[in-house]
């Protein structure tokens, strides 16, 4: 495990294998919470916290499952860990920032079913990452998610005041924008 290897994992998570733009995981909060940059940033922070902690916790759970010979319970155990972490985050956000809690609405509990969170925990195990690589990968994926959702929210804010044909106003232009962003992220393919 070298610093170069960790840097490659980080850049890969942010740009090359961006979960939203190239793997199409985490689309629900990406489309649902990206109308304003402030709520997108809040969701990004919540997802970063959950992704990092979930990756650490599931790494430990995986070690326990392997030791007990219960690897087949991996997905169920990971979902339980993620659900508990999201409940914790929901309580903290509600206590610390009630306005952000109201702005995120139903999308905060949806982090539990966000396939990006479960996806990163399973990918970390499949790639055979150690604990440091797992943490770096989780942080990279979280930064990549944040980058994508905040850029998208900024574009959507501008589109609200832009002269868009009426047939494309609202969600249709958002989907077109998301697809164009995804194509732009394809430019990073082969970087790592």
């Amino acid at each position: 495990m070298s610093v170069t290897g960790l840097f490659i994992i980080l850049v890969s998570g942010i740009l090359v294998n961006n979960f939203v733009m190239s793997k199409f995981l985490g689309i629900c909060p990406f489309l649902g919470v990206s109308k304003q940059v402030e709520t997108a940033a809040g969701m990004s922070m919540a997802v970063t916290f959950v992704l990092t902690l979930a990756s650490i916790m599931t790494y430990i759970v995986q070690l326990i499952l392997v030791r007990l010979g219960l690897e087949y319970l991996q997905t169920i155990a990971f979902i339980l860990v993620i659900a508990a972490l999201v409940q914790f985050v929901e309580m903290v956000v509600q206590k610390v920032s009630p306005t952000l809690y109201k702005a995120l609405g139903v999308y905060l509990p949806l982090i539990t079913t966000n396939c990006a969170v479960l996806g990163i925990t399973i990918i970390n195990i499949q790639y055979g990452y150690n604990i440091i690589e797992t943490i770096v990968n989780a942080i990279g994926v979280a930064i990549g998610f944040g980058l994508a959702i905040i850029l998208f929210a900024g574009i959507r804010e501008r589109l609200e005041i832009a002269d868009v044909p009426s047939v494309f106003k609202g969600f249709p232009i958002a989907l077109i924008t998301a697809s164009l962003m995804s194509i732009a992220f394809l430019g990073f393919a082969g970087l790592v």
Side-chain angles (χ1 to χ4, degrees), residues 6 15 112 120:
L6 294 176
L15 298 173
T112 303
I120 189 63

Side-chain angles (χ1 to χ4, degrees), residues 10-23:
L10 184 70
V11 170
S12 175
I14 296 171
L15 298 173
V16 179
N17 296 319
N18 186 292
F19 264 41
V20 177
M21 294 294 137
S22 68
K23 294 191 182 295

